[in-house]
Amino acid sequence: MNFPSKLIEEAVNEISRLPGIGKKTALRLALHLLKQKETVTEELSSALLALRKDIRYCTTCHNVADSGDTCSICLSVRRDKQIICVVEDIPDVLAIENTGQYQGLYHVLGGVISPIQGIGPDELKIESLIQRCAGSGVQEVILALPATMEGDTTSFFISRKLKELNIKVSSIARGIPIGGELEYTDEVTLGRSILTRVNYSSE
Amino acid sequence: MHLKNLKLLQFKNYAKAEFQFSPEINCLVGKNGSGKTNILDAIHYLCLTKSAINGADSLAVQHGFDFFTLMGDFEREGKSLEVRCVVESGKKKQLLQNGKAIDKMSEHVGLLPIVLIAPDDTRLISEGSEDRRRFFDSMLCQLDRQYMDQLVRYQHFLKQRNALIKLFADKGKWQEELMEPYNRELIQGSKVLAAKRQAFVDEYSPLLVDYYSFISDAQEPVSISYETQCLEEDFDTAFRAAASKDFVLKRSTMGIHKDDFVFQIGGYPIKKFGSQGQQKSFVIGLKLAQFQVFHAHLQVKPLLLLDDIFDKLDDGRISQLMKLVADHAFGQLFITDARPERSKEILKGINAECVFFELRS
């Protein structure tokens, strides 16, 4: 792509580094900003700068925190402090929060174990999870990691690590999505849902 | 099952070409370099979504172009099936069945079985165990979807485990607990896959013995033995005990990726003790047994492609093979030969429709 000005080119290059944004969209955004008042761009860039500079991560669960060292979920008195839900990354916290079904705390690992990509337990917040569980009154850990081979490996590793602490470790169920038809479900998922079926007669 | 016609666009030496095939015998004749084998390769592409000759799709595109298209109308169990394969450089390979795109190539593999007998088949004997594993894996994958899924999973975990061993080697420290998830997967996968390989060899081996003695008209006993450590009782312990060796060698030294299929003649390895003629008969036996297994499991006769075999085999073996053809043991047949008179002579006495295609470069 050829640009009429060096300045536009630089802006486009930077904006198109964001995920999901190609050169054309980046150009549209850049030209849009040029049409707006200068203050719009100033506000945008100062918001971005503040985001980057002032953001804090919760020292307990590694979720984002607005200020201080602890996030709003960990601070809340209404949350059940006996349950910890382990997730891969921050968007997963939002996804589970939106279900409205979970009142416990979280633990954000920051990834899953994948030696091919050079990610081992030391690159993740696994040690801090173990310490949290060893510390005070945690009764159950729910593993809500992706249903991939790497997610399963990580789940298995964590469950082994937690074994000696005598805490209940569970994993979220894998199976048919609500409203889904059996005939359109892939065989692996359907097979797994049969293996981990729910016993109705005991309820 | 047969292939009714084939259209090629910018595939290897064909800018544009179209062929109407006979459901029985098709003989592709022409000088060296006229593109006989390329037609067989195009058929191979449509059936198995990849080249029989070399791995990279980009190498199959005609020089100076950036894509190729293959189209073929098959008839399978009375129904017609149009298969189209499009490979464009820098894009994902596309495969369409009756105009509908197939997401996973693995869904297509196994639908249109095919057996290729080619001059370099003796590699199966002369080369290392990897070629033999690939040969058997490819058959098992076409017959058993679960085998294919398990194998893909196994290979993924193997890659992860090897990467982990390298990480450990760099740090100079072995962490057993981190290795355990991978050990578990590989041990379990090895057992399942090895059992399936063993069962397959048990079924396949008698067919090979029959075809070998038929082709070679000889009495020396041949056999295949499947060699693996994965079916032994103490495999779990042995796998874990190999950790220190794995650490030194920086790779996984136990599992089904170390298996071999040993081909024997008279109780000795055919690689070392078989004559050239015995080896040729053996590989043809392997391929005909493959044909038989596919036919039995899939209930359709695979396409049989014979690449340049009149050149490589002596008259005795050719006449035995032609007896099978005359008995209608095979379905649709594709034969390539550089010398048309010879093919005409050989196929003259056979009571089947035989169409000749003269190719010029």
Side-chain angles (χ1 to χ4, degrees):
Chain A
M1 208 181 248
N2 286 323
F3 298 101
S5 111
K6 199 90 190 141
L7 291 170
I8 290 184
E9 185 176 348
E10 262 169 41
V12 165
N13 282 341
E14 290 308 314
I15 298 171
S16 65
R17 280 163 67 169
L18 296 170
I21 295 190
K23 291 255 150 130
K24 275 196 176 156
T25 315
L27 180 63
R28 224 181 96 209
L29 294 174
L31 293 177
H32 174 81
L33 286 175
L34 283 184
K35 272 193 191 158
Q36 306 292 310
K37 285 189 188 140
E38 208 176 319
T39 49
V40 174
T41 311
E42 272 165 13
E43 278 158 23
L44 174 67
S45 43
S46 69
L48 290 176
L49 271 179
L51 169 75
R52 200 68 194 90
K53 277 194 179 140
D54 298 338
I55 199 86
R56 293 284 174 272
Y57 290 93
C58 175
T59 49
T60 316
C61 73
H62 313 287
N63 192 4
V64 282
D66 267 350
S67 54
D69 288 338
T70 314
C71 71
S72 54
I73 295 176
C74 288
L75 279 175
S76 167
V77 286
R78 282 199 292 264
R79 307 294 295 209
D80 183 349
K81 301 226 161 28
Q82 294 180 326
I83 309 178
I84 295 178
C85 179
V86 180
V87 294
E88 181 184 0
D89 226 327
I90 290 161
D92 304 331
V93 173
L94 301 177
I96 295 179
E97 278 300 282
N98 286 335
T99 67
Q101 298 288 327
Y102 182 67
Q103 293 303 320
L105 302 180
Y106 289 94
H107 192 89
V108 180
L109 291 181
V112 286
I113 299 173
S114 176
I116 296 174
Q117 287 153 339
I119 303 174
D122 299 345
E123 279 71 37
L124 306 173
K125 308 288 185 197
I126 291 180
E127 196 46 45
S128 98
L129 172 69
I130 312 291
Q131 304 223 326
R132 252 181 107 181
C133 296
S136 57
V138 176
Q139 301 282 322
E140 180 174 359
V141 170
I142 302 173
L143 300 169
L145 296 175
T148 59
M149 293 187 226
E150 282 67 39
D152 287 345
T153 312
T154 312
S155 291
F156 181 81
F157 178 70
I158 292 175
S159 69
R160 275 292 165 99
K161 279 270 189 188
L162 293 173
K163 210 169 182 184
E164 34 204 84
L165 295 178
N166 231 349
I167 294 174
K168 180 178 172 190
V169 180
S170 58
S171 163
I172 53 167
R174 272 91 203 250
I176 317 293
I178 303 293
E181 298 282 357
L182 291 199
E183 60 174 323
Y184 297 123
T185 312
D186 73 288
E187 304 95 82
V188 187
T189 309
L190 194 52
R192 181 83 89 100
S193 74
I194 288 172
L195 286 178
T196 59
R197 62 191 176 276
V198 176
N199 188 350
Y200 270 23
S201 55
S202 69
E203 282 177 12
Chain B
M1 173 187 132
H2 68 272
L3 174 63
K4 288 190 278 193
N5 58 51
L6 175 71
K7 286 180 202 152
L8 309 99
L9 190 65
Q10 295 163 19
F11 181 77
K12 297 200 171 175
N13 67 332
Y14 293 95
K16 199 174 177 201
E18 190 175 343
F19 300 90
Q20 300 288 334
F21 293 122
S22 152
E24 294 179 334
I25 302 173
N26 297 281
C27 210
L28 306 159
V29 292
K31 294 204 178 75
N32 288 330
S34 60
K36 303 183 292 291
T37 307
N38 290 347
I39 296 199
L40 298 189
D41 207 27
I43 299 172
H44 196 276
Y45 248 108
L46 287 177
C47 293
L48 298 178
T49 76
K50 62 180 183 215
S51 166
I53 298 158
N54 48 41
D57 289 325
S58 56
L59 295 177
V61 183
Q62 194 182 19
H63 296 305
F65 292 93
D66 58 358
F67 78 98
F68 74 76
T69 304
L70 298 171
M71 229 196 308
D73 284 313
F74 290 84
E75 188 174 308
R76 191 183 188 279
E77 292 177 318
K79 285 184 193 142
S80 59
L81 176 71
E82 187 216 73
V83 180
R84 187 191 302 216
C85 182
V86 185
V87 170
E88 196 173 343
S89 69
K91 284 195 186 163
K92 204 173 160 248
K93 175 159 56 186
Q94 263 195 310
L95 193 106
L96 298 97
Q97 289 176 356
N98 289 333
K100 202 164 158 267
I102 301 294
D103 293 341
K104 277 190 189 163
M105 294 296 155
S106 62
E107 285 173 25
H108 183 70
V109 173
L111 185 71
L112 302 168
I114 183 170
V115 173
L116 168 70
I117 302 183
D120 66 346
D121 280 343
T122 37
R123 282 172 57 94
L124 285 173
I125 293 176
S126 60
E127 296 292 309
S129 57
E130 194 184 341
D131 284 81
R132 287 184 286 282
R133 279 196 302 275
R134 195 178 303 130
F135 174 65
F136 281 94
D137 279 344
S138 144
M139 280 194 278
L140 275 156
C141 285
Q142 288 183 62
L143 296 174
D144 185 349
R145 270 300 299 273
Q146 285 180 342
Y147 185 90
M148 175 150 59
D149 294 341
Q150 276 278 357
L151 188 66
V152 168
R153 200 176 155 84
Y154 182 90
Q155 279 159 349
H156 183 84
F157 277 109
L158 181 64
K159 242 203 237 156
Q160 288 282 27
R161 188 177 191 267
N162 286 339
L164 188 59
I165 294 174
K166 290 208 178 76
L167 281 182
F168 286 174
D170 292 344
K171 286 185 194 161
K173 197 174 108 203
W174 181 272
Q175 285 173 279
E176 187 58 33
E177 53 191 351
L178 186 51
M179 202 42 107
E180 190 49 30
Y182 302 99
N183 290 351
R184 239 169 53 110
E185 282 291 339
L186 291 182
I187 289 170
Q188 212 250 340
S190 286
K191 284 181 182 170
V192 174
L193 293 166
K196 284 188 188 251
R197 282 180 176 177
Q198 183 66 61
F200 182 77
V201 168
D202 291 344
E203 178 190 351
Y204 178 86
S205 183
L207 297 170
L208 166 76
V209 173
D210 285 355
Y211 278 118
Y212 178 82
S213 58
F214 180 82
I215 291 290
S216 66
D217 214 7
Q219 297 310 311
E220 64 268 4
V222 292
S223 66
I224 306 178
S225 62
Y226 171 47
E227 290 191 350
T228 181
Q229 295 169 306
C230 307
L231 294 173
E232 283 162 24
E233 289 246 332
D234 61 346
F235 176 64
D236 293 44
T237 8
F239 188 97
R240 293 193 171 86
S244 52
K245 198 176 162 197
D246 293 354
F247 190 51
V248 174
L249 295 174
K250 296 188 192 177
R251 58 192 152 81
S252 304
T253 56
M254 296 282 285
I256 51 142
H257 60 288
K258 292 278 147 190
D259 289 353
D260 198 357
F261 298 84
V262 181
F263 300 154
Q264 290 181 318
I265 185 160
Y268 295 98
I270 196 166
K271 185 177 183 170
K272 293 193 183 114
F273 296 96
S275 69
Q276 280 205 35
Q278 286 169 327
Q279 295 194 355
K280 278 179 196 161
S281 297
F282 195 91
V283 289
I284 290 185
L286 284 174
K287 291 300 178 85
L288 294 177
Q290 178 184 11
F291 183 92
Q292 197 57 41
V293 170
F294 280 178
H295 185 198
H297 281 260
L298 304 167
Q299 268 93 46
V300 289
K301 282 184 180 173
L303 306 184
L304 184 62
L305 316 182
L306 304 175
D307 190 10
D308 220 3
I309 57 160
F310 295 153
D311 228 23
K312 308 287 171 194
L313 289 183
D314 56 52
D315 294 346
R317 291 193 178 87
I318 290 173
S319 78
Q320 288 300 91
L321 197 59
M322 286 306 128
K323 269 188 205 163
L324 290 176
V325 175
D327 285 348
H328 295 277
F330 306 125
Q332 195 181 22
L333 201 62
F334 294 85
I335 300 172
T336 69
D337 194 0
R339 289 163 53 193
E341 355 42 271
R342 174 175 57 189
S343 297
K344 282 189 178 127
E345 185 62 34
I346 293 171
L347 295 166
K348 198 170 59 185
I350 288 172
N351 179 27
E353 188 187 35
C354 186
V355 181
F356 278 78
F357 298 87
E358 300 236 3
L359 306 176
R360 283 180 199 87
S361 48

